[in-house]
Amino acid sequence: MYAIVEIAGQQFKVAKDQRLFVHRLEGKEGDKVEFDQVLLIDDEGKVNVGAPAVAGALVKATIERHVQGDKVIVFKKKRRKGYQKSNGHRQKFTEISIADILASGAKKSAPKTEKAPAKKEEPKAEAPKEAAASSDDLSSKTVAELKEMAKAKEISGYSSMKKAELIEALS
């Protein structure tokens, strides 16, 4: 039985009693950690693929030790310019050993809160609008809407009018 699990932003193929090095994890040596981002489980040919994670699957592991990786040297140079710069670092890793792979029956983590769907407002019965709209209603409209209203009322010269002139002509 093996599983593909996401640990610290990387995907690993893990099996029971396997030891592996992952990016530094929080916790002390001997602590138990659980990973619920199980992407795939293979149980003797029976493959279960998640979308994106397998529901109820869990991988349990134990932190063995915290270590540093080999030194990585970063060397920068620009030829014919006299520029050379050497820098380096040692990556921090955590060695973990896989204790168990649970395909189902794992307790679920706290459910994420989802926004409730927007309530549909019932259309309110509005009083019929008067033919002559007030200037407050017209001032909230855009110039394009005012020009369409002027065109519908067959007002001549509406294309060259400004917003204030259109409101005056429609009132």
Side-chain angles (χ1 to χ4, degrees):
M1 176 178 208
Y2 74 88
I4 296 178
V5 61
E6 183 176 337
I7 302 171
Q10 292 183 321
Q11 296 176 6
F12 294 94
K13 180 180 176 182
V14 297
K16 189 173 179 181
D17 299 326
Q18 179 184 3
R19 291 178 174 244
L20 65 143
F21 293 94
V22 297
H23 287 297
R24 183 70 169 243
L25 297 175
E26 296 293 324
K28 301 175 195 169
E29 294 179 5
D31 284 354
K32 308 273 189 226
V33 289
E34 296 178 346
F35 305 106
D36 59 350
Q37 284 294 320
V38 180
L39 307 174
L40 179 138
I41 293 180
D42 183 5
D43 190 9
E44 288 88 33
K46 182 182 173 191
V47 178
N48 189 1
V49 180
V54 178
L58 191 71
V59 174
K60 294 183 179 183
T62 306
I63 295 177
E64 296 297 323
R65 61 188 173 131
H66 297 292
V67 295
Q68 284 187 329
D70 295 334
K71 189 167 197 172
V72 177
I73 296 174
V74 180
F75 182 73
K76 297 179 182 179
K77 179 180 180 176
K78 294 185 181 176
R79 62 184 189 162
R80 297 187 301 270
K81 306 296 182 203
Y83 172 79
Q84 292 182 357
K85 183 176 255 185
S86 181
N87 201 346
H89 71 281
R90 293 182 69 185
Q91 187 71 40
K92 295 179 180 352
F93 292 108
T94 300
E95 183 181 5
I96 61 173
S97 63
I98 305 300
D100 197 14
I101 299 174
L102 300 174
S104 63
K107 56 183 175 182
K108 294 183 179 178
S109 59
K112 295 179 181 177
T113 57
E114 296 181 10
K115 291 183 178 179
K119 296 180 181 177
K120 294 182 181 178
E121 295 181 15
E122 296 179 12
K124 297 178 182 177
E126 296 182 14
K129 294 185 179 181
E130 297 177 12
S134 66
S135 62
D136 293 334
D137 294 335
L138 294 176
S139 63
S140 64
K141 297 192 180 292
T142 63
V143 175
E145 293 172 341
L146 293 172
K147 286 184 179 182
E148 288 178 17
M149 291 173 64
K151 183 178 179 181
K153 287 190 175 183
E154 299 178 358
I155 297 174
S156 61
Y158 67 88
S159 60
S160 62
M161 291 184 181
K162 295 182 180 177
K163 186 173 183 176
E165 295 171 347
L166 284 167
I167 292 172
E168 187 178 323
L170 289 170
S171 306

PDB file of all heavy atoms in Angstrom, residues 84-118:
ATOM      1  N   GLN A  84      32.509  39.422  -9.217  1.00  0.00           N
ATOM      2  CA  GLN A  84      32.329  38.057  -8.743  1.00  0.00           C
ATOM      3  C   GLN A  84      31.717  38.114  -7.356  1.00  0.00           C
ATOM      4  O   GLN A  84      32.142  38.913  -6.533  1.00  0.00           O
ATOM      5  CB  GLN A  84      33.661  37.313  -8.660  1.00  0.00           C
ATOM      6  CG  GLN A  84      34.302  37.032  -9.986  1.00  0.00           C
ATOM      7  CD  GLN A  84      35.595  36.249  -9.831  1.00  0.00           C
ATOM      8  OE1 GLN A  84      36.018  35.967  -8.722  1.00  0.00           O
ATOM      9  NE2 GLN A  84      36.211  35.913 -10.941  1.00  0.00           N
ATOM     10  N   LYS A  85      30.721  37.271  -7.127  1.00  0.00           N
ATOM     11  CA  LYS A  85      30.100  37.224  -5.809  1.00  0.00           C
ATOM     12  C   LYS A  85      29.792  35.768  -5.481  1.00  0.00           C
ATOM     13  O   LYS A  85      29.204  35.061  -6.288  1.00  0.00           O
ATOM     14  CB  LYS A  85      28.821  38.054  -5.782  1.00  0.00           C
ATOM     15  CG  LYS A  85      28.158  38.121  -4.425  1.00  0.00           C
ATOM     16  CD  LYS A  85      26.972  39.039  -4.462  1.00  0.00           C
ATOM     17  CE  LYS A  85      27.384  40.306  -3.760  1.00  0.00           C
ATOM     18  NZ  LYS A  85      26.334  41.264  -3.609  1.00  0.00           N
ATOM     19  N   SER A  86      30.214  35.338  -4.311  1.00  0.00           N
ATOM     20  CA  SER A  86      29.972  33.977  -3.875  1.00  0.00           C
ATOM     21  C   SER A  86      29.083  34.014  -2.643  1.00  0.00           C
ATOM     22  O   SER A  86      29.315  34.804  -1.730  1.00  0.00           O
ATOM     23  CB  SER A  86      31.294  33.285  -3.558  1.00  0.00           C
ATOM     24  OG  SER A  86      31.052  31.967  -3.165  1.00  0.00           O
ATOM     25  N   ASN A  87      28.072  33.180  -2.658  1.00  0.00           N
ATOM     26  CA  ASN A  87      27.140  33.110  -1.539  1.00  0.00           C
ATOM     27  C   ASN A  87      26.701  31.658  -1.413  1.00  0.00           C
ATOM     28  O   ASN A  87      26.867  30.868  -2.334  1.00  0.00           O
ATOM     29  CB  ASN A  87      25.942  34.026  -1.792  1.00  0.00           C
ATOM     30  CG  ASN A  87      25.219  34.405  -0.532  1.00  0.00           C
ATOM     31  OD1 ASN A  87      25.435  33.803   0.512  1.00  0.00           O
ATOM     32  ND2 ASN A  87      24.352  35.408  -0.625  1.00  0.00           N
ATOM     33  N   GLY A  88      26.152  31.286  -0.297  1.00  0.00           N
ATOM     34  CA  GLY A  88      25.695  29.923  -0.138  1.00  0.00           C
ATOM     35  C   GLY A  88      24.732  29.782   1.017  1.00  0.00           C
ATOM     36  O   GLY A  88      24.533  30.705   1.802  1.00  0.00           O
ATOM     37  N   HIS A  89      24.115  28.611   1.118  1.00  0.00           N
ATOM     38  CA  HIS A  89      23.187  28.338   2.218  1.00  0.00           C
ATOM     39  C   HIS A  89      23.067  26.838   2.418  1.00  0.00           C
ATOM     40  O   HIS A  89      23.450  26.044   1.560  1.00  0.00           O
ATOM     41  CB  HIS A  89      21.809  28.948   1.933  1.00  0.00           C
ATOM     42  CG  HIS A  89      21.057  28.251   0.851  1.00  0.00           C
ATOM     43  ND1 HIS A  89      21.306  28.448  -0.481  1.00  0.00           N
ATOM     44  CD2 HIS A  89      20.066  27.321   0.906  1.00  0.00           C
ATOM     45  CE1 HIS A  89      20.497  27.698  -1.198  1.00  0.00           C
ATOM     46  NE2 HIS A  89      19.738  26.996  -0.389  1.00  0.00           N
ATOM     47  N   ARG A  90      22.515  26.460   3.560  1.00  0.00           N
ATOM     48  CA  ARG A  90      22.206  25.057   3.854  1.00  0.00           C
ATOM     49  C   ARG A  90      20.710  24.972   4.143  1.00  0.00           C
ATOM     50  O   ARG A  90      20.214  25.599   5.078  1.00  0.00           O
ATOM     51  CB  ARG A  90      23.018  24.570   5.056  1.00  0.00           C
ATOM     52  CG  ARG A  90      24.507  24.499   4.752  1.00  0.00           C
ATOM     53  CD  ARG A  90      25.275  23.979   5.927  1.00  0.00           C
ATOM     54  NE  ARG A  90      24.955  22.564   6.137  1.00  0.00           N
ATOM     55  CZ  ARG A  90      25.412  21.863   7.173  1.00  0.00           C
ATOM     56  NH1 ARG A  90      26.174  22.434   8.083  1.00  0.00           N
ATOM     57  NH2 ARG A  90      25.102  20.591   7.293  1.00  0.00           N
ATOM     58  N   GLN A  91      20.012  24.199   3.349  1.00  0.00           N
ATOM     59  CA  GLN A  91      18.568  24.054   3.495  1.00  0.00           C
ATOM     60  C   GLN A  91      18.242  23.257   4.751  1.00  0.00           C
ATOM     61  O   GLN A  91      18.928  22.293   5.076  1.00  0.00           O
ATOM     62  CB  GLN A  91      18.006  23.333   2.260  1.00  0.00           C
ATOM     63  CG  GLN A  91      16.510  23.258   2.193  1.00  0.00           C
ATOM     64  CD  GLN A  91      15.868  24.598   1.900  1.00  0.00           C
ATOM     65  OE1 GLN A  91      16.378  25.357   1.094  1.00  0.00           O
ATOM     66  NE2 GLN A  91      14.762  24.883   2.546  1.00  0.00           N
ATOM     67  N   LYS A  92      17.183  23.651   5.469  1.00  0.00           N
ATOM     68  CA  LYS A  92      16.755  22.947   6.675  1.00  0.00           C
ATOM     69  C   LYS A  92      15.708  21.893   6.296  1.00  0.00           C
ATOM     70  O   LYS A  92      14.746  22.185   5.595  1.00  0.00           O
ATOM     71  CB  LYS A  92      16.181  23.928   7.686  1.00  0.00           C
ATOM     72  CG  LYS A  92      17.208  24.906   8.215  1.00  0.00           C
ATOM     73  CD  LYS A  92      16.563  25.855   9.191  1.00  0.00           C
ATOM     74  CE  LYS A  92      17.438  26.884   9.810  1.00  0.00           C
ATOM     75  NZ  LYS A  92      18.823  26.903   9.647  1.00  0.00           N
ATOM     76  N   PHE A  93      15.915  20.668   6.775  1.00  0.00           N
ATOM     77  CA  PHE A  93      15.016  19.557   6.494  1.00  0.00           C
ATOM     78  C   PHE A  93      14.555  18.917   7.793  1.00  0.00           C
ATOM     79  O   PHE A  93      15.167  19.083   8.845  1.00  0.00           O
ATOM     80  CB  PHE A  93      15.721  18.477   5.659  1.00  0.00           C
ATOM     81  CG  PHE A  93      16.042  18.908   4.261  1.00  0.00           C
ATOM     82  CD1 PHE A  93      17.347  19.157   3.891  1.00  0.00           C
ATOM     83  CD2 PHE A  93      15.053  19.049   3.309  1.00  0.00           C
ATOM     84  CE1 PHE A  93      17.660  19.535   2.604  1.00  0.00           C
ATOM     85  CE2 PHE A  93      15.357  19.430   2.023  1.00  0.00           C
ATOM     86  CZ  PHE A  93      16.665  19.673   1.669  1.00  0.00           C
ATOM     87  N   THR A  94      13.469  18.160   7.698  1.00  0.00           N
ATOM     88  CA  THR A  94      12.981  17.338   8.794  1.00  0.00           C
ATOM     89  C   THR A  94      12.890  15.909   8.286  1.00  0.00           C
ATOM     90  O   THR A  94      12.318  15.661   7.220  1.00  0.00           O
ATOM     91  CB  THR A  94      11.590  17.808   9.257  1.00  0.00           C
ATOM     92  OG1 THR A  94      11.684  19.163   9.689  1.00  0.00           O
ATOM     93  CG2 THR A  94      11.074  16.961  10.400  1.00  0.00           C
ATOM     94  N   GLU A  95      13.457  14.981   9.051  1.00  0.00           N
ATOM     95  CA  GLU A  95      13.351  13.569   8.691  1.00  0.00           C
ATOM     96  C   GLU A  95      12.121  13.008   9.399  1.00  0.00           C
ATOM     97  O   GLU A  95      11.987  13.133  10.614  1.00  0.00           O
ATOM     98  CB  GLU A  95      14.594  12.787   9.116  1.00  0.00           C
ATOM     99  CG  GLU A  95      14.540  11.344   8.703  1.00  0.00           C
ATOM    100  CD  GLU A  95      15.762  10.554   9.144  1.00  0.00           C
ATOM    101  OE1 GLU A  95      16.614  11.108   9.844  1.00  0.00           O
ATOM    102  OE2 GLU A  95      15.826   9.376   8.783  1.00  0.00           O
ATOM    103  N   ILE A  96      11.225  12.424   8.617  1.00  0.00           N
ATOM    104  CA  ILE A  96      10.018  11.835   9.194  1.00  0.00           C
ATOM    105  C   ILE A  96       9.956  10.366   8.808  1.00  0.00           C
ATOM    106  O   ILE A  96      10.517   9.956   7.787  1.00  0.00           O
ATOM    107  CB  ILE A  96       8.729  12.566   8.747  1.00  0.00           C
ATOM    108  CG1 ILE A  96       8.538  12.494   7.233  1.00  0.00           C
ATOM    109  CG2 ILE A  96       8.720  14.000   9.219  1.00  0.00           C
ATOM    110  CD1 ILE A  96       7.217  13.037   6.755  1.00  0.00           C
ATOM    111  N   SER A  97       9.276   9.586   9.633  1.00  0.00           N
ATOM    112  CA  SER A  97       9.016   8.188   9.289  1.00  0.00           C
ATOM    113  C   SER A  97       7.506   7.988   9.263  1.00  0.00           C
ATOM    114  O   SER A  97       6.785   8.430  10.159  1.00  0.00           O
ATOM    115  CB  SER A  97       9.670   7.245  10.299  1.00  0.00           C
ATOM    116  OG  SER A  97       9.113   7.431  11.567  1.00  0.00           O
ATOM    117  N   ILE A  98       7.026   7.354   8.226  1.00  0.00           N
ATOM    118  CA  ILE A  98       5.594   7.147   8.030  1.00  0.00           C
ATOM    119  C   ILE A  98       5.149   6.014   8.941  1.00  0.00           C
ATOM    120  O   ILE A  98       5.655   4.893   8.855  1.00  0.00           O
ATOM    121  CB  ILE A  98       5.275   6.818   6.560  1.00  0.00           C
ATOM    122  CG1 ILE A  98       5.834   7.896   5.630  1.00  0.00           C
ATOM    123  CG2 ILE A  98       3.787   6.636   6.352  1.00  0.00           C
ATOM    124  CD1 ILE A  98       5.287   9.280   5.871  1.00  0.00           C
ATOM    125  N   ALA A  99       4.200   6.309   9.832  1.00  0.00           N
ATOM    126  CA  ALA A  99       3.712   5.322  10.790  1.00  0.00           C
ATOM    127  C   ALA A  99       2.546   4.518  10.221  1.00  0.00           C
ATOM    128  O   ALA A  99       2.481   3.304  10.382  1.00  0.00           O
ATOM    129  CB  ALA A  99       3.304   6.003  12.081  1.00  0.00           C
ATOM    130  N   ASP A 100       1.613   5.219   9.550  1.00  0.00           N
ATOM    131  CA  ASP A 100       0.415   4.528   9.093  1.00  0.00           C
ATOM    132  C   ASP A 100      -0.237   5.310   7.972  1.00  0.00           C
ATOM    133  O   ASP A 100      -0.138   6.547   7.908  1.00  0.00           O
ATOM    134  CB  ASP A 100      -0.563   4.375  10.262  1.00  0.00           C
ATOM    135  CG  ASP A 100      -1.630   3.325   9.997  1.00  0.00           C
ATOM    136  OD1 ASP A 100      -1.467   2.540   9.043  1.00  0.00           O
ATOM    137  OD2 ASP A 100      -2.625   3.298  10.748  1.00  0.00           O
ATOM    138  N   ILE A 101      -0.925   4.596   7.089  1.00  0.00           N
ATOM    139  CA  ILE A 101      -1.716   5.201   6.023  1.00  0.00           C
ATOM    140  C   ILE A 101      -3.143   4.726   6.195  1.00  0.00           C
ATOM    141  O   ILE A 101      -3.419   3.527   6.125  1.00  0.00           O
ATOM    142  CB  ILE A 101      -1.182   4.803   4.627  1.00  0.00           C
ATOM    143  CG1 ILE A 101       0.244   5.288   4.445  1.00  0.00           C
ATOM    144  CG2 ILE A 101      -2.082   5.363   3.541  1.00  0.00           C
ATOM    145  CD1 ILE A 101       0.896   4.807   3.164  1.00  0.00           C
ATOM    146  N   LEU A 102      -4.045   5.644   6.463  1.00  0.00           N
ATOM    147  CA  LEU A 102      -5.458   5.308   6.643  1.00  0.00           C
ATOM    148  C   LEU A 102      -6.220   5.717   5.388  1.00  0.00           C
ATOM    149  O   LEU A 102      -6.227   6.893   5.012  1.00  0.00           O
ATOM    150  CB  LEU A 102      -6.030   6.039   7.857  1.00  0.00           C
ATOM    151  CG  LEU A 102      -5.372   5.740   9.200  1.00  0.00           C
ATOM    152  CD1 LEU A 102      -5.950   6.636  10.266  1.00  0.00           C
ATOM    153  CD2 LEU A 102      -5.571   4.289   9.567  1.00  0.00           C
ATOM    154  N   ALA A 103      -6.860   4.756   4.744  1.00  0.00           N
ATOM    155  CA  ALA A 103      -7.596   5.046   3.523  1.00  0.00           C
ATOM    156  C   ALA A 103      -8.943   5.694   3.811  1.00  0.00           C
ATOM    157  O   ALA A 103      -9.417   6.516   3.043  1.00  0.00           O
ATOM    158  CB  ALA A 103      -7.803   3.768   2.717  1.00  0.00           C
ATOM    159  N   SER A 104      -9.560   5.320   4.929  1.00  0.00           N
ATOM    160  CA  SER A 104     -10.851   5.916   5.275  1.00  0.00           C
ATOM    161  C   SER A 104     -11.015   5.858   6.778  1.00  0.00           C
ATOM    162  O   SER A 104     -10.258   5.205   7.482  1.00  0.00           O
ATOM    163  CB  SER A 104     -12.001   5.171   4.586  1.00  0.00           C
ATOM    164  OG  SER A 104     -12.040   3.841   5.053  1.00  0.00           O
ATOM    165  N   GLY A 105     -12.011   6.531   7.260  1.00  0.00           N
ATOM    166  CA  GLY A 105     -12.298   6.506   8.688  1.00  0.00           C
ATOM    167  C   GLY A 105     -11.513   7.523   9.483  1.00  0.00           C
ATOM    168  O   GLY A 105     -11.615   7.561  10.693  1.00  0.00           O
ATOM    169  N   ALA A 106     -10.741   8.349   8.825  1.00  0.00           N
ATOM    170  CA  ALA A 106      -9.994   9.381   9.544  1.00  0.00           C
ATOM    171  C   ALA A 106     -10.958  10.479   9.943  1.00  0.00           C
ATOM    172  O   ALA A 106     -11.896  10.808   9.218  1.00  0.00           O
ATOM    173  CB  ALA A 106      -8.892   9.945   8.668  1.00  0.00           C
ATOM    174  N   LYS A 107     -10.725  11.039  11.121  1.00  0.00           N
ATOM    175  CA  LYS A 107     -11.622  12.107  11.541  1.00  0.00           C
ATOM    176  C   LYS A 107     -11.376  13.331  10.683  1.00  0.00           C
ATOM    177  O   LYS A 107     -10.242  13.661  10.340  1.00  0.00           O
ATOM    178  CB  LYS A 107     -11.444  12.428  13.016  1.00  0.00           C
ATOM    179  CG  LYS A 107     -10.032  12.792  13.411  1.00  0.00           C
ATOM    180  CD  LYS A 107      -9.961  13.008  14.890  1.00  0.00           C
ATOM    181  CE  LYS A 107      -8.507  13.256  15.319  1.00  0.00           C
ATOM    182  NZ  LYS A 107      -8.382  13.427  16.729  1.00  0.00           N
ATOM    183  N   LYS A 108     -12.451  13.982  10.329  1.00  0.00           N
ATOM    184  CA  LYS A 108     -12.371  15.128   9.437  1.00  0.00           C
ATOM    185  C   LYS A 108     -11.883  16.337  10.201  1.00  0.00           C
ATOM    186  O   LYS A 108     -12.186  16.521  11.378  1.00  0.00           O
ATOM    187  CB  LYS A 108     -13.744  15.434   8.823  1.00  0.00           C
ATOM    188  CG  LYS A 108     -14.231  14.343   7.896  1.00  0.00           C
ATOM    189  CD  LYS A 108     -15.547  14.731   7.282  1.00  0.00           C
ATOM    190  CE  LYS A 108     -16.042  13.658   6.335  1.00  0.00           C
ATOM    191  NZ  LYS A 108     -17.340  14.000   5.758  1.00  0.00           N
ATOM    192  N   SER A 109     -11.123  17.176   9.498  1.00  0.00           N
ATOM    193  CA  SER A 109     -10.692  18.429  10.108  1.00  0.00           C
ATOM    194  C   SER A 109     -11.896  19.365  10.146  1.00  0.00           C
ATOM    195  O   SER A 109     -12.935  19.111   9.555  1.00  0.00           O
ATOM    196  CB  SER A 109      -9.549  19.040   9.309  1.00  0.00           C
ATOM    197  OG  SER A 109      -9.966  19.268   7.982  1.00  0.00           O
ATOM    198  N   ALA A 110     -11.730  20.463  10.855  1.00  0.00           N
ATOM    199  CA  ALA A 110     -12.834  21.401  11.008  1.00  0.00           C
ATOM    200  C   ALA A 110     -13.324  21.840   9.634  1.00  0.00           C
ATOM    201  O   ALA A 110     -12.520  22.237   8.790  1.00  0.00           O
ATOM    202  CB  ALA A 110     -12.395  22.611  11.811  1.00  0.00           C
ATOM    203  N   PRO A 111     -14.619  21.772   9.391  1.00  0.00           N
ATOM    204  CA  PRO A 111     -15.122  22.138   8.075  1.00  0.00           C
ATOM    205  C   PRO A 111     -14.928  23.624   7.814  1.00  0.00           C
ATOM    206  O   PRO A 111     -15.030  24.447   8.723  1.00  0.00           O
ATOM    207  CB  PRO A 111     -16.603  21.771   8.138  1.00  0.00           C
ATOM    208  CG  PRO A 111     -16.940  21.799   9.582  1.00  0.00           C
ATOM    209  CD  PRO A 111     -15.674  21.382  10.305  1.00  0.00           C
ATOM    210  N   LYS A 112     -14.648  23.922   6.568  1.00  0.00           N
ATOM    211  CA  LYS A 112     -14.477  25.319   6.192  1.00  0.00           C
ATOM    212  C   LYS A 112     -15.848  25.965   6.116  1.00  0.00           C
ATOM    213  O   LYS A 112     -16.806  25.382   5.626  1.00  0.00           O
ATOM    214  CB  LYS A 112     -13.780  25.425   4.839  1.00  0.00           C
ATOM    215  CG  LYS A 112     -12.364  24.892   4.872  1.00  0.00           C
ATOM    216  CD  LYS A 112     -11.736  25.003   3.510  1.00  0.00           C
ATOM    217  CE  LYS A 112     -10.327  24.442   3.523  1.00  0.00           C
ATOM    218  NZ  LYS A 112      -9.711  24.478   2.213  1.00  0.00           N
ATOM    219  N   THR A 113     -15.917  27.186   6.601  1.00  0.00           N
ATOM    220  CA  THR A 113     -17.189  27.889   6.566  1.00  0.00           C
ATOM    221  C   THR A 113     -17.394  28.428   5.165  1.00  0.00           C
ATOM    222  O   THR A 113     -16.520  29.041   4.579  1.00  0.00           O
ATOM    223  CB  THR A 113     -17.207  29.051   7.572  1.00  0.00           C
ATOM    224  OG1 THR A 113     -16.113  29.923   7.284  1.00  0.00           O
ATOM    225  CG2 THR A 113     -17.084  28.532   8.991  1.00  0.00           C
ATOM    226  N   GLU A 114     -18.555  28.159   4.650  1.00  0.00           N
ATOM    227  CA  GLU A 114     -18.897  28.643   3.323  1.00  0.00           C
ATOM    228  C   GLU A 114     -19.939  29.732   3.461  1.00  0.00           C
ATOM    229  O   GLU A 114     -20.753  29.740   4.383  1.00  0.00           O
ATOM    230  CB  GLU A 114     -19.458  27.510   2.467  1.00  0.00           C
ATOM    231  CG  GLU A 114     -18.455  26.411   2.199  1.00  0.00           C
ATOM    232  CD  GLU A 114     -19.052  25.330   1.324  1.00  0.00           C
ATOM    233  OE1 GLU A 114     -20.161  25.534   0.793  1.00  0.00           O
ATOM    234  OE2 GLU A 114     -18.407  24.293   1.177  1.00  0.00           O
ATOM    235  N   LYS A 115     -19.897  30.643   2.536  1.00  0.00           N
ATOM    236  CA  LYS A 115     -20.883  31.714   2.551  1.00  0.00           C
ATOM    237  C   LYS A 115     -22.241  31.146   2.161  1.00  0.00           C
ATOM    238  O   LYS A 115     -22.348  30.320   1.259  1.00  0.00           O
ATOM    239  CB  LYS A 115     -20.498  32.815   1.566  1.00  0.00           C
ATOM    240  CG  LYS A 115     -19.268  33.580   1.986  1.00  0.00           C
ATOM    241  CD  LYS A 115     -18.994  34.686   1.006  1.00  0.00           C
ATOM    242  CE  LYS A 115     -17.797  35.501   1.428  1.00  0.00           C
ATOM    243  NZ  LYS A 115     -17.510  36.564   0.476  1.00  0.00           N
ATOM    244  N   ALA A 116     -23.259  31.587   2.861  1.00  0.00           N
ATOM    245  CA  ALA A 116     -24.610  31.155   2.537  1.00  0.00           C
ATOM    246  C   ALA A 116     -25.002  31.779   1.199  1.00  0.00           C
ATOM    247  O   ALA A 116     -24.617  32.900   0.899  1.00  0.00           O
ATOM    248  CB  ALA A 116     -25.582  31.590   3.625  1.00  0.00           C
ATOM    249  N   PRO A 117     -25.762  31.058   0.390  1.00  0.00           N
ATOM    250  CA  PRO A 117     -26.164  31.639  -0.888  1.00  0.00           C
ATOM    251  C   PRO A 117     -27.019  32.874  -0.666  1.00  0.00           C
ATOM    252  O   PRO A 117     -27.778  32.966   0.308  1.00  0.00           O
ATOM    253  CB  PRO A 117     -26.967  30.523  -1.554  1.00  0.00           C
ATOM    254  CG  PRO A 117     -27.337  29.584  -0.466  1.00  0.00           C
ATOM    255  CD  PRO A 117     -26.288  29.718   0.588  1.00  0.00           C
ATOM    256  N   ALA A 118     -26.876  33.812  -1.549  1.00  0.00           N
ATOM    257  CA  ALA A 118     -27.598  35.080  -1.426  1.00  0.00           C
ATOM    258  C   ALA A 118     -29.100  34.811  -1.518  1.00  0.00           C
ATOM    259  O   ALA A 118     -29.573  34.056  -2.360  1.00  0.00           O
ATOM    260  CB  ALA A 118     -27.163  36.036  -2.521  1.00  0.00           C
TER     261      ALA A 118
END
